[in-house]
């Protein structure tokens, strides 16, 4: 899920052009939340009961990149357009990732180890976007840039300033 924000080209497109790029040819992807990955790792380290065991982590369902753009639009508060690109548009790493996504290998019918390991359902893309307190500064920055809201210490600074200004005006009017 955080791949959406990780690569500079895609990050700049989101921030500057309000576009989300992909080359999935309409295939749906089972995005895995970095929060789920972190929770599984912490659980494995603290429990120390599973040595050299591989875990299969999947998101709760497959979604298309158009759906990702819609979720981003809802979270950011502005329209994000999904733009299908050719593979040669991307750098090698991103093109490789897009090829994997376009192959459609990830299926929801495969059972994920998420519930067994951390005792809860996998986090959806929408839930991941709302869990801003667990995001990196880059993710927080991308999600706040188009709304004009600056995310800082778990709050949007612009909203705080508007509330302060309103209180000042109300205080002067009294």
């Amino acid at each position: 899920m955080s791949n959406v924000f990780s690569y500079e080209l895609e990050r700049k497109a989101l921030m500057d052009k309000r576009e989300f790029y992909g080359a999935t040819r309409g295939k749906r992807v089972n995005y895995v939340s970095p929060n789920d990955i972190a929770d599984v790792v912490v659980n494995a380290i603290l429990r120390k009961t599973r040595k050299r065991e591989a875990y299969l982590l999947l998101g709760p369902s497959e979604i298309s990149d158009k759906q990702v753009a819609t979720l981003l639009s809802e979270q950011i508060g502005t329209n994000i357009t999904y733009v299908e690109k050719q593979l040669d548009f991307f750098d090698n790493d991103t093109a490789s990732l897009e090829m994997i996504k376009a192959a459609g290998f990830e299926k929801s019918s495969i059972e994920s180890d998420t519930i067994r390991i951390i005792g809860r359902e996998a986090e959806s893309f929408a839930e991941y976007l709302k869990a801003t307190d667990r995001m990196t500064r880059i993710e927080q920055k991308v999600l706040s840039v188009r709304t004009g809201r600056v995310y800082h210490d778990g709050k949007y600074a612009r909203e705080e300033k508007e509330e302060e200004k309103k209180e000042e005006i109300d205080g002067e009017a009294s």
Side-chain angles (χ1 to χ4, degrees):
M1 293 178 185
S2 60
N3 289 344
V4 171
F5 309 109
S6 297
Y7 299 104
E8 186 175 0
L9 174 71
E10 289 82 354
R11 187 171 58 245
K12 284 186 176 185
L14 274 171
M15 294 170 69
D16 299 338
K17 297 180 182 178
R18 300 183 206 173
E19 294 178 341
F20 172 55
Y21 300 148
T24 57
R25 300 188 316 249
K27 298 285 188 192
R28 297 165 67 84
V29 177
N30 198 320
Y31 285 97
V32 178
S33 169
N35 300 332
D36 290 344
I37 296 168
D39 291 346
V40 167
V41 168
V42 167
N43 185 289
I45 290 170
L46 293 178
R47 288 184 42 206
K48 298 180 186 177
T49 57
R50 296 182 179 5
K51 295 184 179 178
R52 297 183 184 185
E53 184 175 341
Y55 301 117
L56 176 64
L57 304 180
L58 299 171
S61 62
E62 301 166 21
I63 61 173
S64 70
D65 280 346
K66 281 187 177 183
Q67 289 172 299
V68 170
T70 299
L71 291 171
L72 288 167
S73 296
E74 291 168 1
Q75 182 65 24
I76 295 172
T78 191
N79 187 46
I80 302 294
T81 304
Y82 173 68
V83 180
E84 182 79 15
K85 296 286 189 178
Q86 297 297 316
L87 285 175
D88 62 1
F89 173 80
F90 299 100
D91 62 47
N92 288 337
D93 289 341
T94 307
S96 296
L97 177 62
E98 292 299 315
M99 285 181 0
I100 292 168
K101 289 166 51 178
F105 290 131
E106 301 175 13
K107 297 291 177 196
S108 296
S109 59
I110 300 171
E111 191 171 322
S112 174
D113 290 323
T114 307
I115 295 174
R116 180 174 64 85
I117 303 301
I118 59 176
R120 64 167 172 77
E121 293 284 336
E123 188 174 67
S124 71
F125 207 105
E127 292 166 332
Y128 157 73
L129 289 174
K130 289 182 170 89
T132 55
D133 60 317
R134 295 188 74 180
M135 290 183 171
T136 66
R137 291 189 191 279
I138 290 172
E139 293 165 306
Q140 292 171 350
K141 180 180 177 183
V142 173
L143 286 176
S144 66
V145 96
R146 278 293 163 192
T147 60
R149 300 182 298 177
V150 178
Y151 191 86
H152 180 70
D153 291 335
K155 298 176 186 164
Y156 288 103
R158 181 174 177 190
E159 292 172 350
E160 291 177 337
K161 286 181 183 177
E162 289 173 355
E163 287 176 11
E164 290 172 7
K165 196 181 278 185
K166 185 179 180 206
E167 289 173 8
E168 287 177 16
I169 292 169
D170 290 344
E172 292 173 5
S174 303

